Amino acid sequence: MDTIYMDQLTTLIPKGDGVEEAMEAAANMEASDIQMMADETREQINKLFHGPGADSVVFTSGVGAALNAVIRALFKDGDHVLISSMESDDVMNALNAIGHEADKDGCGGVEYTRIPCNEKGQLILFDPVKGEKGFDSVEKLLRPNTKAVIVNHASEVCGTILQAKEISEFARRHGLLVIVNAAQTAGCVPIFMNIWGVDVMTFSGGYGLFASEKIGGFIASERAAAMLGGPDMREKFEQKPLDAAAIAGLHKAFEFIEEKTLHTLSSMGRKRVEQFIRKIQHVNGVHIIGPGYKDRIPVISIQTDFMEESELEEALKNEYGIVIRSGLHDAEEAHKTLGTYPRGTARFSFNYFNTEEDVEKLTQALWQLTVRSDKVPDVKRMPKE
């Protein structure tokens, strides 16, 4: 039985053409060649994000390390930050290590307030029922000591793309720093760091960049770089020594991206998730979490009436050779927002390497699993378009 891999967000299988070979070859590279390759990769990252310059790119051991370092360095006791209610555990752990949620038990440290999101995982910027418009809902959350806004560009749970451009516009109006985590969107969604006015963009070498998730980092605006050490920023935050294999893999992945074109690579994943939604919305007892075909990356979560998500993961793997991921996906707060906590979801993350036939086999497997189940579907929970 052939394996069909649909957990690309956790670990890429396969990586971009030539990436594995480049990572293996890095073991024999000279230090000077590794440094040259790292500098070329900085140029590629900066170009991808339309950033302020290659010198502002810092490599870390992963996106979690980048988020933790930036959050701890930028904020001090007495500061207040706004975050989306769809943040990952990396952001929540970093903030809770140096502070607490505003208006909750706790004193001192950095305080944070959540910007609410709707059931699709999108930021609620205003409430038309209350006659609000623009950024009225977010305006009410501001405090005299508010320093920044942190937003996950796309949810690792349900694939929803959050309004990074819009929240950056709001932040600029109020002189706030903007931190955007592009770990899920780099390579999948066009990003314009300079135009949007983002101060720190964090990234992962995995998923949309077709390399290893063991390398990540951030790129900082001139303003943020000055706050992070100025000319000493890279010395202060960059992984030492650089992971030569991971750098080599990411460098090679950009060659793969250039050859295939970013548009082709990203559009294939979107086609697969659209195909999946069109098929799965007709399966009784399957409930799609998040938005419909639009406003998402190729990541989708479901819950079912006929099987717990961990059981579904095992059944798909053992009976059909389909590898997915169940659980909370390192984003407990996002599940609370989506109404899927503490149960979690079954998550499917597609990319360029997943085929139309893969999705067809997945759909058929889900049909077969629900047909043989003796549990009655909950007709009140219809899939969301």
Side-chain angles (χ1 to χ4, degrees):
M1 179 171 55
D2 294 335
T3 297
I4 300 174
Y5 193 75
M6 296 181 172
D7 188 25
Q8 304 289 359
L9 199 59
T10 302
T11 305
L12 274 173
I13 299 177
K15 294 177 173 57
D17 294 349
V19 169
E20 297 280 8
E21 293 80 0
M23 293 178 70
E24 292 177 4
N28 299 317
M29 291 183 68
E30 298 290 337
S32 59
D33 292 331
I34 294 170
Q35 188 59 56
M36 182 182 301
M37 186 170 57
D39 290 340
E40 290 176 357
T41 308
R42 295 184 212 278
E43 294 280 0
Q44 294 165 321
I45 289 288
N46 181 68
K47 180 180 178 181
L48 176 69
F49 290 146
H50 298 87
D55 289 342
S56 296
V57 177
V58 175
F59 291 120
T60 65
S61 59
V63 68
L67 283 164
N68 184 66
V70 167
I71 289 172
R72 286 174 174 267
L74 286 178
F75 309 120
K76 62 182 186 302
D77 288 2
D79 286 345
H80 174 254
V81 298
L82 299 177
I83 66 172
S84 82
S85 65
M86 294 293 290
E87 292 310 306
S88 67
D89 289 351
D90 288 328
V91 169
M92 301 311 302
N93 291 340
L95 286 172
N96 287 323
I98 60 174
H100 58 91
E101 186 171 2
D103 301 323
K104 295 290 180 69
D105 291 341
C107 59
V110 177
E111 293 186 319
Y112 61 88
T113 299
R114 305 167 200 266
I115 304 172
C117 292
N118 59 28
E119 63 178 5
K120 295 182 180 181
Q122 299 158 329
L123 292 165
I124 299 175
L125 303 177
F126 64 93
D127 186 349
V129 176
K130 297 179 180 178
E132 295 179 346
K133 57 184 179 179
F135 300 101
D136 286 353
S137 291
V138 191
E139 295 271 1
K140 296 175 182 178
L141 304 177
L142 288 172
R143 300 185 175 196
N145 58 335
T146 303
K147 304 297 183 183
V149 179
I150 302 173
V151 64
N152 197 3
H153 196 190
S155 170
E156 53 273 275
V157 176
C158 60
T160 301
I161 300 173
L162 280 73
Q163 307 97 305
K165 176 183 177 182
E166 289 79 4
I167 204 66
S168 296
E169 176 188 340
F170 165 80
R172 287 200 308 273
R173 293 183 185 180
H174 296 278
L176 306 177
L177 291 169
V178 184
I179 301 172
V180 175
N181 178 20
Q184 285 75 243
T185 52
C188 297
V189 177
I191 294 172
F192 300 91
M193 184 177 174
N194 278 344
I195 296 174
W196 295 352
V198 175
D199 289 287
V200 177
M201 186 81 72
T202 57
F203 63 88
S204 168
Y207 198 48
L209 296 188
F210 293 94
S212 171
E213 68 282 351
K214 293 182 180 179
I215 185 171
F218 65 89
I219 179 169
S221 69
E222 184 177 346
R223 175 171 68 156
M227 300 173 68
L228 291 168
D232 298 324
M233 179 179 69
R234 193 185 301 172
E235 177 65 26
K236 184 177 179 181
F237 293 102
E238 192 152 82
Q239 181 184 20
K240 300 181 187 64
L242 287 173
D243 186 332
I247 291 286
L250 185 55
H251 185 266
K252 186 65 177 181
F254 273 105
E255 292 183 16
F256 169 72
I257 291 170
E258 184 175 354
E259 177 188 346
K260 298 294 184 181
T261 78
L262 197 60
H263 172 75
T264 298
L265 293 171
S266 60
S267 64
M268 292 302 288
R270 290 196 301 272
K271 287 180 180 178
R272 296 291 81 81
V273 77
E274 180 175 343
Q275 176 193 355
F276 180 61
I277 291 175
R278 290 187 183 279
K279 296 275 188 180
I280 207 65
Q281 64 186 347
H282 302 297
V283 179
N284 289 334
V286 173
H287 308 287
I288 299 170
I289 309 302
Y293 315 130
K294 300 180 180 179
D295 302 318
R296 68 155 68 245
I297 57 172
V299 173
I300 184 169
S301 273
I302 66 170
Q303 288 185 334
T304 77
D305 296 331
F306 55 85
M307 188 175 287
E308 291 295 322
E309 282 61 50
S310 59
E311 296 174 331
L312 179 61
E313 179 184 355
E314 287 299 310
L316 288 174
K317 180 179 179 180
N318 295 334
E319 299 179 36
Y320 302 93
I322 299 173
V323 177
I324 69 162
R325 179 62 59 103
S326 66
L328 296 178
H329 317 298
D330 299 319
E332 183 176 307
E333 296 302 319
H335 281 279
K336 292 178 180 178
T337 297
L338 296 166
T340 52
Y341 182 83
R343 177 173 169 176
T345 61
R347 186 184 71 187
F348 310 85
S349 46
F350 309 104
N351 70 2
Y352 169 79
F353 291 108
N354 292 115
T355 66
E356 185 175 348
E357 291 73 22
D358 291 345
V359 177
E360 187 63 35
K361 290 178 181 178
L362 170 61
T363 306
Q364 289 300 318
L366 290 170
W367 270 105
Q368 291 171 18
L369 289 172
T370 187
V371 166
R372 79 186 192 196
S373 171
D374 58 358
K375 295 184 179 179
V376 178
D378 182 355
V379 295
K380 294 180 180 179
R381 298 176 59 198
M382 296 300 293
K384 301 178 180 66
E385 275 288 345

